[in-house]
Amino acid sequence: MLFSKSCIYGLRASLYLASNQNGEYISIGKLSDKLDISFHFLTKILQQLTANDLLESLKGPNGGVRLSKPGKQITLLDIVLAIDGDELFQECVLGLPGCGMEKPCPFHEIWLHKRDDIKRMLETRSLAEMAKEGKEGHLRITPDGKYKWD
Amino acid sequence: MLFSKSCIYGLRASLYLASNQNGEYISIGKLSDKLDISFHFLTKILQQLTANDLLESLKGPNGGVRLSKPGKQITLLDIVLAIDGDELFQECVLGLPGCGMEKPCPFHEIWLHKRDDIKRMLETRSLAEMAKEGKEGHLRITPDGKYKWD
DNA sequence: AATATTTAAGAGTATTTTGTCTTATTTATA
DNA sequence: TATAAATAAGACAAAATACTCTTAAATATT
Ligand code: SF4
Ligand code: SF4
């Protein structure tokens, strides 16, 4: 699996937030309900995003979470790094410790640009862009495809 | 992580076998020793490869495992599929069930060719080829780089 | 035939990841 | 100020992955 479950949930929730972006906070209860993700588990994940200044949260009535900046300024890579870290882009394929150019494994040559490709792909796509495409293309971010980008 | 630990171990062991390819069996004890992988764990993994007809095994003195066909005819993808299955190439990025073209998620468009790229990369590289490059380039397949392709 | 060497198989343990539950803490609103 | 609604935090539980150990089966060599 490319991304951890946590990361996937984080991405889906972020896309939701980006698509409903108009300043107000959205409760995690609503998010977990719409996206079919366990409430408490999602809470933890979003806390990581909040800790990384990608989200803002507010307690109390009408509280919830929202993007900390315009969705255009948050990339998919931001989310991935906040949750899964950069190991996918550092440790890479054979998982040998202390990897890099100095002491490469046989995969290095062929894997390196694929890896960087993926990184660039995540880096050049903003949440806003992805959400827009999702909305316009009626693409799904829930298992059952129930969520319709309201 | 792209590949499971099991898969990584399987790949490293396969590369070793391909590089020492001259018909005789190599004991798993030697493999586990050279590659710094737990003997019993490696045994299980290689059993999967044997079950998939990628390796042949022989019990008893001078027994061990060897490639079941010339290293040129076994691809990296063969090893990966035998151990990790095709979920990486089927379920893909957001892990939504029943994925594919019919009900795509927002990642589909951007991820699909990267995914296929990776698959093709694994499909077009044989163990023989990788081992040759590893040998000639003095690349490492052990954590400490101790193994020197003898 | 006996023995030693090796893989096969399967039970068992440890660690990591994933998910749940309970108890604070904060804040808007009446 | 009291209450209700929400996140924060952390303990706990379950499941998946990674790893270990023991016993059985096969085979080459003596
Ligand atoms: S040598 Fe390169 S390709 Fe191989 S594991 Fe290290 S960083 Fe990845
Ligand atoms: S819709 Fe496409 S990209 Fe998204 S999870 Fe399914 S197969 Fe992968």
PDB file of all heavy atoms in Angstrom, chain A residues 27-28 44 47 57-61 64, chain D residues 4-12 17:
ATOM      1  N   SER A  27     -17.803  20.138  11.761  1.00  0.00           N
ATOM      2  CA  SER A  27     -17.538  19.238  12.886  1.00  0.00           C
ATOM      3  C   SER A  27     -17.005  17.898  12.390  1.00  0.00           C
ATOM      4  O   SER A  27     -17.365  17.417  11.309  1.00  0.00           O
ATOM      5  CB  SER A  27     -18.807  19.017  13.697  1.00  0.00           C
ATOM      6  OG  SER A  27     -19.623  18.057  13.079  1.00  0.00           O
ATOM      7  N   ILE A  28     -16.143  17.315  13.212  1.00  0.00           N
ATOM      8  CA  ILE A  28     -15.562  16.023  12.852  1.00  0.00           C
ATOM      9  C   ILE A  28     -16.648  14.961  12.812  1.00  0.00           C
ATOM     10  O   ILE A  28     -16.578  14.005  12.046  1.00  0.00           O
ATOM     11  CB  ILE A  28     -14.441  15.643  13.845  1.00  0.00           C
ATOM     12  CG1 ILE A  28     -13.350  16.730  13.830  1.00  0.00           C
ATOM     13  CG2 ILE A  28     -13.817  14.305  13.491  1.00  0.00           C
ATOM     14  CD1 ILE A  28     -12.233  16.502  14.815  1.00  0.00           C
ATOM     15  N   LYS A  44      -8.145  11.781  15.728  1.00  0.00           N
ATOM     16  CA  LYS A  44      -6.692  11.709  15.920  1.00  0.00           C
ATOM     17  C   LYS A  44      -5.920  12.177  14.702  1.00  0.00           C
ATOM     18  O   LYS A  44      -4.932  12.889  14.797  1.00  0.00           O
ATOM     19  CB  LYS A  44      -6.296  10.262  16.189  1.00  0.00           C
ATOM     20  CG  LYS A  44      -6.839   9.723  17.464  1.00  0.00           C
ATOM     21  CD  LYS A  44      -5.730   9.218  18.312  1.00  0.00           C
ATOM     22  CE  LYS A  44      -6.086   9.501  19.741  1.00  0.00           C
ATOM     23  NZ  LYS A  44      -5.652   8.450  20.634  1.00  0.00           N
ATOM     24  N   GLN A  47      -6.062  15.775  14.193  1.00  0.00           N
ATOM     25  CA  GLN A  47      -5.214  16.456  15.163  1.00  0.00           C
ATOM     26  C   GLN A  47      -3.793  16.592  14.622  1.00  0.00           C
ATOM     27  O   GLN A  47      -3.126  17.607  14.851  1.00  0.00           O
ATOM     28  CB  GLN A  47      -5.196  15.687  16.485  1.00  0.00           C
ATOM     29  CG  GLN A  47      -6.384  16.022  17.390  1.00  0.00           C
ATOM     30  CD  GLN A  47      -6.480  15.091  18.577  1.00  0.00           C
ATOM     31  OE1 GLN A  47      -5.494  14.502  19.006  1.00  0.00           O
ATOM     32  NE2 GLN A  47      -7.689  14.952  19.102  1.00  0.00           N
ATOM     33  N   SER A  57      -8.668  24.276  14.334  1.00  0.00           N
ATOM     34  CA  SER A  57      -9.815  23.664  14.998  1.00  0.00           C
ATOM     35  C   SER A  57     -10.399  24.629  16.020  1.00  0.00           C
ATOM     36  O   SER A  57      -9.713  25.523  16.507  1.00  0.00           O
ATOM     37  CB  SER A  57      -9.391  22.369  15.687  1.00  0.00           C
ATOM     38  OG  SER A  57      -8.566  22.651  16.795  1.00  0.00           O
ATOM     39  N   LEU A  58     -11.658  24.424  16.301  1.00  0.00           N
ATOM     40  CA  LEU A  58     -12.330  25.232  17.329  1.00  0.00           C
ATOM     41  C   LEU A  58     -13.214  24.310  18.144  1.00  0.00           C
ATOM     42  O   LEU A  58     -13.986  23.517  17.587  1.00  0.00           O
ATOM     43  CB  LEU A  58     -13.184  26.315  16.674  1.00  0.00           C
ATOM     44  CG  LEU A  58     -13.946  27.206  17.660  1.00  0.00           C
ATOM     45  CD1 LEU A  58     -13.003  28.061  18.479  1.00  0.00           C
ATOM     46  CD2 LEU A  58     -14.967  28.059  16.921  1.00  0.00           C
ATOM     47  N   LYS A  59     -13.081  24.377  19.467  1.00  0.00           N
ATOM     48  CA  LYS A  59     -13.927  23.572  20.341  1.00  0.00           C
ATOM     49  C   LYS A  59     -15.270  24.257  20.544  1.00  0.00           C
ATOM     50  O   LYS A  59     -15.419  25.445  20.287  1.00  0.00           O
ATOM     51  CB  LYS A  59     -13.237  23.386  21.695  1.00  0.00           C
ATOM     52  CG  LYS A  59     -11.985  22.546  21.633  1.00  0.00           C
ATOM     53  CD  LYS A  59     -11.315  22.514  22.995  1.00  0.00           C
ATOM     54  CE  LYS A  59     -10.070  21.666  22.979  1.00  0.00           C
ATOM     55  NZ  LYS A  59      -9.343  21.720  24.268  1.00  0.00           N
ATOM     56  N   GLY A  60     -16.175  23.490  21.073  1.00  0.00           N
ATOM     57  CA  GLY A  60     -17.454  24.069  21.444  1.00  0.00           C
ATOM     58  C   GLY A  60     -18.470  24.114  20.328  1.00  0.00           C
ATOM     59  O   GLY A  60     -18.182  23.700  19.200  1.00  0.00           O
ATOM     60  N   PRO A  61     -19.662  24.595  20.631  1.00  0.00           N
ATOM     61  CA  PRO A  61     -20.753  24.664  19.653  1.00  0.00           C
ATOM     62  C   PRO A  61     -20.315  25.401  18.390  1.00  0.00           C
ATOM     63  O   PRO A  61     -19.578  26.389  18.480  1.00  0.00           O
ATOM     64  CB  PRO A  61     -21.839  25.445  20.396  1.00  0.00           C
ATOM     65  CG  PRO A  61     -21.534  25.256  21.838  1.00  0.00           C
ATOM     66  CD  PRO A  61     -20.054  25.135  21.941  1.00  0.00           C
ATOM     67  N   GLY A  64     -15.312  22.832  15.193  1.00  0.00           N
ATOM     68  CA  GLY A  64     -14.954  21.809  14.210  1.00  0.00           C
ATOM     69  C   GLY A  64     -13.585  22.093  13.654  1.00  0.00           C
ATOM     70  O   GLY A  64     -12.723  22.639  14.343  1.00  0.00           O
TER      71      GLY A  64
ATOM     72  P    DA D   4     -27.696  20.547  29.392  1.00  0.00           P
ATOM     73  OP1  DA D   4     -29.098  20.110  29.530  1.00  0.00           O
ATOM     74  OP2  DA D   4     -26.610  19.844  30.093  1.00  0.00           O
ATOM     75  O5'  DA D   4     -27.337  20.590  27.835  1.00  0.00           O
ATOM     76  C5'  DA D   4     -27.768  21.704  27.058  1.00  0.00           C
ATOM     77  C4'  DA D   4     -26.830  21.886  25.885  1.00  0.00           C
ATOM     78  O4'  DA D   4     -25.610  22.530  26.337  1.00  0.00           O
ATOM     79  C3'  DA D   4     -26.399  20.579  25.224  1.00  0.00           C
ATOM     80  O3'  DA D   4     -26.393  20.787  23.825  1.00  0.00           O
ATOM     81  C2'  DA D   4     -25.004  20.349  25.762  1.00  0.00           C
ATOM     82  C1'  DA D   4     -24.502  21.780  25.869  1.00  0.00           C
ATOM     83  N9   DA D   4     -23.408  21.983  26.817  1.00  0.00           N
ATOM     84  C8   DA D   4     -23.246  21.418  28.052  1.00  0.00           C
ATOM     85  N7   DA D   4     -22.155  21.803  28.677  1.00  0.00           N
ATOM     86  C5   DA D   4     -21.562  22.684  27.780  1.00  0.00           C
ATOM     87  C6   DA D   4     -20.385  23.439  27.847  1.00  0.00           C
ATOM     88  N6   DA D   4     -19.548  23.433  28.886  1.00  0.00           N
ATOM     89  N1   DA D   4     -20.084  24.217  26.779  1.00  0.00           N
ATOM     90  C2   DA D   4     -20.919  24.235  25.735  1.00  0.00           C
ATOM     91  N3   DA D   4     -22.060  23.571  25.565  1.00  0.00           N
ATOM     92  C4   DA D   4     -22.322  22.803  26.634  1.00  0.00           C
ATOM     93  P    DA D   5     -26.268  19.555  22.823  1.00  0.00           P
ATOM     94  OP1  DA D   5     -27.454  19.606  21.949  1.00  0.00           O
ATOM     95  OP2  DA D   5     -25.908  18.330  23.563  1.00  0.00           O
ATOM     96  O5'  DA D   5     -25.003  19.974  21.947  1.00  0.00           O
ATOM     97  C5'  DA D   5     -24.915  21.292  21.427  1.00  0.00           C
ATOM     98  C4'  DA D   5     -23.500  21.567  20.987  1.00  0.00           C
ATOM     99  O4'  DA D   5     -22.666  21.743  22.152  1.00  0.00           O
ATOM    100  C3'  DA D   5     -22.874  20.420  20.184  1.00  0.00           C
ATOM    101  O3'  DA D   5     -22.151  20.964  19.089  1.00  0.00           O
ATOM    102  C2'  DA D   5     -21.922  19.770  21.171  1.00  0.00           C
ATOM    103  C1'  DA D   5     -21.509  20.943  22.033  1.00  0.00           C
ATOM    104  N9   DA D   5     -21.086  20.577  23.390  1.00  0.00           N
ATOM    105  C8   DA D   5     -21.689  19.694  24.244  1.00  0.00           C
ATOM    106  N7   DA D   5     -21.084  19.577  25.406  1.00  0.00           N
ATOM    107  C5   DA D   5     -20.015  20.455  25.298  1.00  0.00           C
ATOM    108  C6   DA D   5     -18.979  20.783  26.194  1.00  0.00           C
ATOM    109  N6   DA D   5     -18.849  20.259  27.418  1.00  0.00           N
ATOM    110  N1   DA D   5     -18.068  21.691  25.779  1.00  0.00           N
ATOM    111  C2   DA D   5     -18.192  22.212  24.554  1.00  0.00           C
ATOM    112  N3   DA D   5     -19.128  21.976  23.627  1.00  0.00           N
ATOM    113  C4   DA D   5     -20.007  21.072  24.074  1.00  0.00           C
ATOM    114  P    DA D   6     -22.064  20.150  17.746  1.00  0.00           P
ATOM    115  OP1  DA D   6     -22.289  21.077  16.623  1.00  0.00           O
ATOM    116  OP2  DA D   6     -22.885  18.931  17.883  1.00  0.00           O
ATOM    117  O5'  DA D   6     -20.552  19.632  17.787  1.00  0.00           O
ATOM    118  C5'  DA D   6     -19.558  20.452  17.275  1.00  0.00           C
ATOM    119  C4'  DA D   6     -18.356  20.502  18.197  1.00  0.00           C
ATOM    120  O4'  DA D   6     -18.718  20.406  19.588  1.00  0.00           O
ATOM    121  C3'  DA D   6     -17.336  19.370  18.085  1.00  0.00           C
ATOM    122  O3'  DA D   6     -16.549  19.561  16.925  1.00  0.00           O
ATOM    123  C2'  DA D   6     -16.511  19.603  19.340  1.00  0.00           C
ATOM    124  C1'  DA D   6     -17.505  20.262  20.304  1.00  0.00           C
ATOM    125  N9   DA D   6     -17.737  19.465  21.493  1.00  0.00           N
ATOM    126  C8   DA D   6     -18.731  18.547  21.725  1.00  0.00           C
ATOM    127  N7   DA D   6     -18.690  17.998  22.920  1.00  0.00           N
ATOM    128  C5   DA D   6     -17.588  18.590  23.516  1.00  0.00           C
ATOM    129  C6   DA D   6     -16.987  18.433  24.789  1.00  0.00           C
ATOM    130  N6   DA D   6     -17.465  17.585  25.727  1.00  0.00           N
ATOM    131  N1   DA D   6     -15.896  19.171  25.051  1.00  0.00           N
ATOM    132  C2   DA D   6     -15.439  20.009  24.107  1.00  0.00           C
ATOM    133  N3   DA D   6     -15.908  20.250  22.883  1.00  0.00           N
ATOM    134  C4   DA D   6     -16.989  19.505  22.646  1.00  0.00           C
ATOM    135  P    DT D   7     -15.528  18.377  16.517  1.00  0.00           P
ATOM    136  OP1  DT D   7     -15.251  18.572  15.082  1.00  0.00           O
ATOM    137  OP2  DT D   7     -16.049  17.087  16.994  1.00  0.00           O
ATOM    138  O5'  DT D   7     -14.219  18.732  17.339  1.00  0.00           O
ATOM    139  C5'  DT D   7     -13.550  19.960  17.056  1.00  0.00           C
ATOM    140  C4'  DT D   7     -12.469  20.218  18.091  1.00  0.00           C
ATOM    141  O4'  DT D   7     -12.999  19.954  19.406  1.00  0.00           O
ATOM    142  C3'  DT D   7     -11.226  19.334  17.964  1.00  0.00           C
ATOM    143  O3'  DT D   7     -10.081  20.117  18.306  1.00  0.00           O
ATOM    144  C2'  DT D   7     -11.472  18.242  18.977  1.00  0.00           C
ATOM    145  C1'  DT D   7     -12.170  19.024  20.080  1.00  0.00           C
ATOM    146  N1   DT D   7     -13.013  18.179  20.957  1.00  0.00           N
ATOM    147  C2   DT D   7     -12.723  18.102  22.291  1.00  0.00           C
ATOM    148  O2   DT D   7     -11.797  18.714  22.806  1.00  0.00           O
ATOM    149  N3   DT D   7     -13.561  17.287  23.025  1.00  0.00           N
ATOM    150  C4   DT D   7     -14.637  16.556  22.556  1.00  0.00           C
ATOM    151  O4   DT D   7     -15.311  15.861  23.310  1.00  0.00           O
ATOM    152  C5   DT D   7     -14.888  16.676  21.134  1.00  0.00           C
ATOM    153  C7   DT D   7     -16.036  15.919  20.511  1.00  0.00           C
ATOM    154  C6   DT D   7     -14.079  17.462  20.423  1.00  0.00           C
ATOM    155  P    DA D   8      -8.613  19.456  18.287  1.00  0.00           P
ATOM    156  OP1  DA D   8      -7.619  20.533  18.051  1.00  0.00           O
ATOM    157  OP2  DA D   8      -8.652  18.294  17.391  1.00  0.00           O
ATOM    158  O5'  DA D   8      -8.441  18.934  19.792  1.00  0.00           O
ATOM    159  C5'  DA D   8      -8.343  19.879  20.849  1.00  0.00           C
ATOM    160  C4'  DA D   8      -7.547  19.301  22.004  1.00  0.00           C
ATOM    161  O4'  DA D   8      -8.422  18.449  22.806  1.00  0.00           O
ATOM    162  C3'  DA D   8      -6.348  18.430  21.653  1.00  0.00           C
ATOM    163  O3'  DA D   8      -5.322  18.705  22.600  1.00  0.00           O
ATOM    164  C2'  DA D   8      -6.896  17.012  21.733  1.00  0.00           C
ATOM    165  C1'  DA D   8      -7.924  17.120  22.844  1.00  0.00           C
ATOM    166  N9   DA D   8      -9.104  16.264  22.696  1.00  0.00           N
ATOM    167  C8   DA D   8      -9.857  16.069  21.555  1.00  0.00           C
ATOM    168  N7   DA D   8     -10.888  15.264  21.724  1.00  0.00           N
ATOM    169  C5   DA D   8     -10.815  14.905  23.061  1.00  0.00           C
ATOM    170  C6   DA D   8     -11.631  14.062  23.854  1.00  0.00           C
ATOM    171  N6   DA D   8     -12.707  13.428  23.397  1.00  0.00           N
ATOM    172  N1   DA D   8     -11.287  13.910  25.150  1.00  0.00           N
ATOM    173  C2   DA D   8     -10.198  14.562  25.615  1.00  0.00           C
ATOM    174  N3   DA D   8      -9.357  15.379  24.947  1.00  0.00           N
ATOM    175  C4   DA D   8      -9.731  15.503  23.664  1.00  0.00           C
ATOM    176  P    DA D   9      -3.917  17.960  22.545  1.00  0.00           P
ATOM    177  OP1  DA D   9      -2.935  18.867  23.177  1.00  0.00           O
ATOM    178  OP2  DA D   9      -3.692  17.456  21.169  1.00  0.00           O
ATOM    179  O5'  DA D   9      -4.125  16.705  23.520  1.00  0.00           O
ATOM    180  C5'  DA D   9      -4.657  16.921  24.827  1.00  0.00           C
ATOM    181  C4'  DA D   9      -4.728  15.594  25.555  1.00  0.00           C
ATOM    182  O4'  DA D   9      -5.975  14.937  25.232  1.00  0.00           O
ATOM    183  C3'  DA D   9      -3.617  14.604  25.192  1.00  0.00           C
ATOM    184  O3'  DA D   9      -3.102  14.082  26.388  1.00  0.00           O
ATOM    185  C2'  DA D   9      -4.320  13.553  24.364  1.00  0.00           C
ATOM    186  C1'  DA D   9      -5.699  13.565  25.018  1.00  0.00           C
ATOM    187  N9   DA D   9      -6.778  13.033  24.202  1.00  0.00           N
ATOM    188  C8   DA D   9      -6.936  13.136  22.839  1.00  0.00           C
ATOM    189  N7   DA D   9      -8.020  12.550  22.392  1.00  0.00           N
ATOM    190  C5   DA D   9      -8.622  12.025  23.528  1.00  0.00           C
ATOM    191  C6   DA D   9      -9.805  11.293  23.729  1.00  0.00           C
ATOM    192  N6   DA D   9     -10.622  10.943  22.728  1.00  0.00           N
ATOM    193  N1   DA D   9     -10.112  10.919  24.984  1.00  0.00           N
ATOM    194  C2   DA D   9      -9.280  11.271  25.978  1.00  0.00           C
ATOM    195  N3   DA D   9      -8.139  11.963  25.916  1.00  0.00           N
ATOM    196  C4   DA D   9      -7.865  12.315  24.645  1.00  0.00           C
ATOM    197  P    DG D  10      -1.655  13.261  26.396  1.00  0.00           P
ATOM    198  OP1  DG D  10      -0.746  14.004  27.281  1.00  0.00           O
ATOM    199  OP2  DG D  10      -1.276  12.965  25.000  1.00  0.00           O
ATOM    200  O5'  DG D  10      -2.012  11.881  27.106  1.00  0.00           O
ATOM    201  C5'  DG D  10      -3.031  11.835  28.111  1.00  0.00           C
ATOM    202  C4'  DG D  10      -3.706  10.504  28.070  1.00  0.00           C
ATOM    203  O4'  DG D  10      -4.773  10.501  27.089  1.00  0.00           O
ATOM    204  C3'  DG D  10      -2.778   9.344  27.655  1.00  0.00           C
ATOM    205  O3'  DG D  10      -3.054   8.235  28.472  1.00  0.00           O
ATOM    206  C2'  DG D  10      -3.197   9.083  26.234  1.00  0.00           C
ATOM    207  C1'  DG D  10      -4.697   9.269  26.424  1.00  0.00           C
ATOM    208  N9   DG D  10      -5.475   9.262  25.211  1.00  0.00           N
ATOM    209  C8   DG D  10      -5.133   9.758  23.973  1.00  0.00           C
ATOM    210  N7   DG D  10      -6.045   9.553  23.061  1.00  0.00           N
ATOM    211  C5   DG D  10      -7.052   8.885  23.738  1.00  0.00           C
ATOM    212  C6   DG D  10      -8.298   8.401  23.288  1.00  0.00           C
ATOM    213  O6   DG D  10      -8.774   8.470  22.151  1.00  0.00           O
ATOM    214  N1   DG D  10      -9.018   7.782  24.310  1.00  0.00           N
ATOM    215  C2   DG D  10      -8.593   7.648  25.608  1.00  0.00           C
ATOM    216  N2   DG D  10      -9.412   7.016  26.445  1.00  0.00           N
ATOM    217  N3   DG D  10      -7.435   8.096  26.048  1.00  0.00           N
ATOM    218  C4   DG D  10      -6.718   8.704  25.067  1.00  0.00           C
ATOM    219  P    DA D  11      -1.904   7.111  28.735  1.00  0.00           P
ATOM    220  OP1  DA D  11      -0.979   7.615  29.765  1.00  0.00           O
ATOM    221  OP2  DA D  11      -1.380   6.651  27.434  1.00  0.00           O
ATOM    222  O5'  DA D  11      -2.785   5.931  29.366  1.00  0.00           O
ATOM    223  C5'  DA D  11      -3.877   6.260  30.220  1.00  0.00           C
ATOM    224  C4'  DA D  11      -5.056   5.344  29.902  1.00  0.00           C
ATOM    225  O4'  DA D  11      -5.641   5.713  28.628  1.00  0.00           O
ATOM    226  C3'  DA D  11      -4.658   3.865  29.784  1.00  0.00           C
ATOM    227  O3'  DA D  11      -5.623   3.078  30.461  1.00  0.00           O
ATOM    228  C2'  DA D  11      -4.668   3.617  28.279  1.00  0.00           C
ATOM    229  C1'  DA D  11      -5.786   4.547  27.829  1.00  0.00           C
ATOM    230  N9   DA D  11      -5.703   4.948  26.423  1.00  0.00           N
ATOM    231  C8   DA D  11      -4.676   5.581  25.796  1.00  0.00           C
ATOM    232  N7   DA D  11      -4.892   5.816  24.519  1.00  0.00           N
ATOM    233  C5   DA D  11      -6.148   5.291  24.298  1.00  0.00           C
ATOM    234  C6   DA D  11      -6.957   5.213  23.152  1.00  0.00           C
ATOM    235  N6   DA D  11      -6.586   5.693  21.961  1.00  0.00           N
ATOM    236  N1   DA D  11      -8.163   4.619  23.272  1.00  0.00           N
ATOM    237  C2   DA D  11      -8.528   4.137  24.467  1.00  0.00           C
ATOM    238  N3   DA D  11      -7.869   4.157  25.618  1.00  0.00           N
ATOM    239  C4   DA D  11      -6.670   4.755  25.459  1.00  0.00           C
ATOM    240  P    DC D  12      -5.325   1.538  30.800  1.00  0.00           P
ATOM    241  OP1  DC D  12      -6.006   1.235  32.068  1.00  0.00           O
ATOM    242  OP2  DC D  12      -3.875   1.312  30.625  1.00  0.00           O
ATOM    243  O5'  DC D  12      -6.093   0.765  29.629  1.00  0.00           O
ATOM    244  C5'  DC D  12      -7.501   0.964  29.489  1.00  0.00           C
ATOM    245  C4'  DC D  12      -7.947   0.455  28.138  1.00  0.00           C
ATOM    246  O4'  DC D  12      -7.384   1.271  27.093  1.00  0.00           O
ATOM    247  C3'  DC D  12      -7.523  -0.983  27.806  1.00  0.00           C
ATOM    248  O3'  DC D  12      -8.692  -1.788  27.851  1.00  0.00           O
ATOM    249  C2'  DC D  12      -6.910  -0.883  26.409  1.00  0.00           C
ATOM    250  C1'  DC D  12      -7.390   0.480  25.923  1.00  0.00           C
ATOM    251  N1   DC D  12      -6.534   1.142  24.904  1.00  0.00           N
ATOM    252  C2   DC D  12      -7.047   1.298  23.611  1.00  0.00           C
ATOM    253  O2   DC D  12      -8.181   0.870  23.357  1.00  0.00           O
ATOM    254  N3   DC D  12      -6.284   1.914  22.670  1.00  0.00           N
ATOM    255  C4   DC D  12      -5.063   2.366  22.979  1.00  0.00           C
ATOM    256  N4   DC D  12      -4.369   2.977  22.030  1.00  0.00           N
ATOM    257  C5   DC D  12      -4.526   2.220  24.293  1.00  0.00           C
ATOM    258  C6   DC D  12      -5.281   1.601  25.211  1.00  0.00           C
ATOM    259  P    DT D  17      -1.688  -7.178   6.626  1.00  0.00           P
ATOM    260  OP1  DT D  17      -1.724  -6.234   5.488  1.00  0.00           O
ATOM    261  OP2  DT D  17      -2.093  -8.585   6.482  1.00  0.00           O
ATOM    262  O5'  DT D  17      -0.202  -7.160   7.211  1.00  0.00           O
ATOM    263  C5'  DT D  17       0.308  -5.931   7.710  1.00  0.00           C
ATOM    264  C4'  DT D  17       1.526  -6.214   8.542  1.00  0.00           C
ATOM    265  O4'  DT D  17       1.170  -6.962   9.710  1.00  0.00           O
ATOM    266  C3'  DT D  17       2.591  -7.045   7.827  1.00  0.00           C
ATOM    267  O3'  DT D  17       3.727  -6.198   7.754  1.00  0.00           O
ATOM    268  C2'  DT D  17       2.782  -8.277   8.723  1.00  0.00           C
ATOM    269  C1'  DT D  17       2.258  -7.783  10.060  1.00  0.00           C
ATOM    270  N1   DT D  17       1.714  -8.778  11.013  1.00  0.00           N
ATOM    271  C2   DT D  17       2.282  -8.869  12.262  1.00  0.00           C
ATOM    272  O2   DT D  17       3.233  -8.172  12.601  1.00  0.00           O
ATOM    273  N3   DT D  17       1.704  -9.792  13.097  1.00  0.00           N
ATOM    274  C4   DT D  17       0.631 -10.606  12.819  1.00  0.00           C
ATOM    275  O4   DT D  17       0.209 -11.393  13.670  1.00  0.00           O
ATOM    276  C5   DT D  17       0.065 -10.467  11.502  1.00  0.00           C
ATOM    277  C7   DT D  17      -1.121 -11.302  11.118  1.00  0.00           C
ATOM    278  C6   DT D  17       0.632  -9.572  10.676  1.00  0.00           C
TER     279       DT D  17
END
